[in-house]
Amino acid sequence: MKSIVEAIRQGDQAAFRELFEDYYPILCVFAMKYLCDEEQCKDVAQDTLLSYWEKREDFEDIYKVKGYLYKVAHNHCMNILKRLKIGEQYLQEEFSEVEESFEKEMIRQETWLLVRKAVGTLPAQMRRVIELTMEGNKNAEIASELGIAEGTVHALKKTAYKKLREQLKDHFYLLLF
């Protein structure tokens, strides 16, 4: 089985659509850290992914693709801020703060994607329990919403966490952030 990057390199639009669907929302959230305009953030995400598609033959692995996506999105945001003619002093202060948080934000977004994909592999009821938990709901609230016993919620969570730990064990270093 070939990797998604290899498929995209060969022009597979379905593989690119899959990558697009994973990274478009992540890049939108990433851009929102710099810009306060949702439409501009969507444009940044779309332009970034289009830029990757145009240069897809230059990439051999997903790590280089991810680095490229975040760097291009970051640069797009900085260019927008410059075009808006924000005062040079403000821009320099903002740029310093942004550079410091760039890596942390990238790690946070990648971690969220890993967790989201892992949760998506769980059986339906277990997945729903974890999603509701991630939204901040308590066991009693989850039990009430799903029409199951609170003990069942507890058992489903315990099993789900075990499965998620197993799936994410190779990525434990990301989960520390």
Side-chain angles (χ1 to χ4, degrees):
M1 183 173 120
K2 63 182 168 184
S3 74
I4 190 169
V5 174
E6 184 59 33
I8 292 170
R9 282 184 81 193
Q10 295 174 1
D12 184 336
Q13 292 181 359
F16 179 70
R17 192 173 309 111
E18 181 181 334
L19 183 121
F20 187 98
E21 288 172 1
D22 281 344
Y23 278 91
Y24 178 79
I26 287 173
L27 291 171
C28 285
V29 170
F30 181 78
M32 193 60 83
K33 298 291 180 183
Y34 306 101
L35 309 171
C36 295
D37 183 309
E38 188 175 331
E39 290 305 312
Q40 283 180 330
C41 293
K42 289 178 181 179
D43 289 344
V44 165
Q46 188 168 348
D47 290 348
T48 298
L49 287 158
L50 178 60
S51 173
Y52 164 63
W53 174 256
E54 291 170 350
K55 296 177 186 266
R56 67 187 178 274
E57 294 174 2
D58 297 344
F59 298 94
E60 296 174 10
D61 65 57
I62 192 66
Y63 301 108
K64 290 180 181 175
V65 172
K66 290 176 183 182
Y68 175 82
L69 293 175
Y70 286 112
K71 194 63 178 171
V72 169
H74 174 261
N75 290 342
H76 275 313
C77 291
M78 292 297 104
N79 288 338
I80 289 170
L81 290 174
K82 286 177 187 175
R83 273 193 304 258
L84 293 174
K85 300 195 188 296
I86 294 176
E88 190 61 33
Q89 181 180 1
Y90 171 77
L91 187 58
Q92 287 302 324
E93 291 170 8
E94 192 67 25
F95 187 74
S96 296
E97 290 177 23
V98 164
E99 286 299 314
E100 291 172 11
S101 67
F102 176 75
E103 185 175 317
K104 288 180 183 176
E105 183 60 24
M106 187 172 80
I107 291 170
R108 192 175 79 78
Q109 292 299 328
E110 286 298 312
T111 303
W112 177 249
L113 178 62
L114 284 170
V115 171
R116 190 182 76 187
K117 283 187 168 206
V119 169
T121 66
L122 296 172
Q125 189 174 34
M126 196 177 291
R127 179 177 56 243
R128 189 67 185 129
V129 166
I130 296 302
E131 289 169 348
L132 290 169
T133 300
M134 290 171 68
E135 291 171 8
N137 292 297
K138 304 282 184 227
N139 286 0
E141 297 167 328
I142 296 169
S144 175
E145 182 168 330
L146 299 180
I148 58 178
E150 198 171 332
T152 303
V153 171
H154 178 73
L156 287 169
K157 282 170 83 171
K158 184 176 179 178
T159 304
Y161 290 149
K162 182 178 178 183
K163 289 181 179 208
L164 291 172
R165 272 193 302 276
E166 181 62 30
Q167 284 185 34
L168 297 170
K169 70 181 176 190
D170 294 334
H171 304 286
F172 75 94
Y173 55 91
L174 285 176
L175 300 174
L176 297 174
F177 291 95

